[in-house]
Amino acid sequence: MKRILLIIPSGGVGGIERLATNFYNYYKSKGYEVKVVKIIKQQSDFINFSEDELFLSELDLGDMGKLSRILFYLKSPFIIRRIIKANKITHSIGFGDVANLFSSLTFTREMKMVSLHGLKSVEFKNNSLLNRLSKIAFKTLFALTDKVVGIVTGK
């Protein structure tokens, strides 16, 4: 039995959340067990997954102090790791940069997929130190995954 974990930023109305909802509905229709981890869950979330939904925080990152935010980033991969092990997850899919980061740092053995949203080549066009470091980080973290999928929207 395939057990799938979807990791999403929030329950907002953005493209990532709608895409994750489509994945959720598809896998559920195929009879798979599916769990969804929201990095941030808020009362105003538009998209919800009832009993299949888990979350890392109900406090928005902008509302956390610097130390709290650093601790949140450090502990999140470990929390996701526990979720993966407790639910015997066989496949995980990260949606968005932060979800990809946390997923790749769990060091678990399920089939791990991450997704790129947007044009990284455009985002990294500026040759600043931060962009150079980000490129290295992406390459390093993606080496810890099984599949990288580019999501491109257009007309």
Side-chain angles (χ1 to χ4, degrees):
M1 161 73 83
K2 290 185 182 176
R3 294 186 171 107
I4 299 170
L5 180 67
L6 307 176
I7 307 167
I8 64 174
S10 67
V13 294
I16 287 175
E17 291 83 358
R18 289 192 310 268
L19 182 63
T21 300
N22 290 339
F23 274 64
Y24 174 83
N25 291 332
Y26 173 80
Y27 289 127
K28 289 293 273 190
S29 76
K30 295 295 182 186
Y32 301 150
E33 291 182 28
V34 184
K35 296 289 182 188
V36 179
V37 171
K38 288 181 182 175
I39 294 171
I40 304 295
K41 176 187 174 77
Q42 296 184 319
Q43 291 284 333
S44 61
D45 279 355
F46 181 74
I47 296 173
N48 294 292
F49 301 93
S50 59
E51 72 277 350
D52 293 325
E53 181 176 297
L54 305 161
F55 61 91
L56 302 182
S57 176
E58 290 183 283
L59 189 60
D60 196 315
L61 292 174
D63 296 331
M64 294 179 190
K66 281 185 180 181
L67 181 59
S68 295
R69 193 174 317 140
I70 290 168
L71 291 174
F72 176 77
Y73 277 108
L74 291 174
K75 71 179 183 177
S76 291
F78 295 102
I79 296 169
I80 294 172
R81 180 183 174 87
R82 281 196 303 263
I83 291 168
I84 289 168
K85 294 207 174 267
N87 291 282
K88 298 181 175 133
I89 298 297
T90 60
H91 296 74
S92 66
I93 306 171
F95 292 88
D97 294 343
V98 175
N100 294 340
L101 171 70
F102 291 165
S103 175
S104 64
L105 293 176
T106 61
F107 298 106
T108 49
R109 294 184 182 192
E110 81 282 2
M111 169 70 145
K112 195 177 303 279
M113 294 169 273
V114 295
S115 59
L116 288 175
H117 302 262
L119 297 171
K120 296 301 178 207
S121 60
V122 172
E123 291 176 23
F124 293 144
K125 193 171 188 172
N126 179 325
N127 200 22
S128 69
L129 176 62
L130 179 60
N131 281 351
R132 288 194 308 263
L133 291 173
S134 295
K135 285 181 198 177
I136 293 168
F138 272 104
K139 289 177 183 178
T140 303
L141 293 174
F142 290 158
L144 300 172
T145 64
D146 296 297
K147 299 280 183 194
V148 178
V149 178
I151 308 297
V152 180
T153 59
K155 297 178 183 175

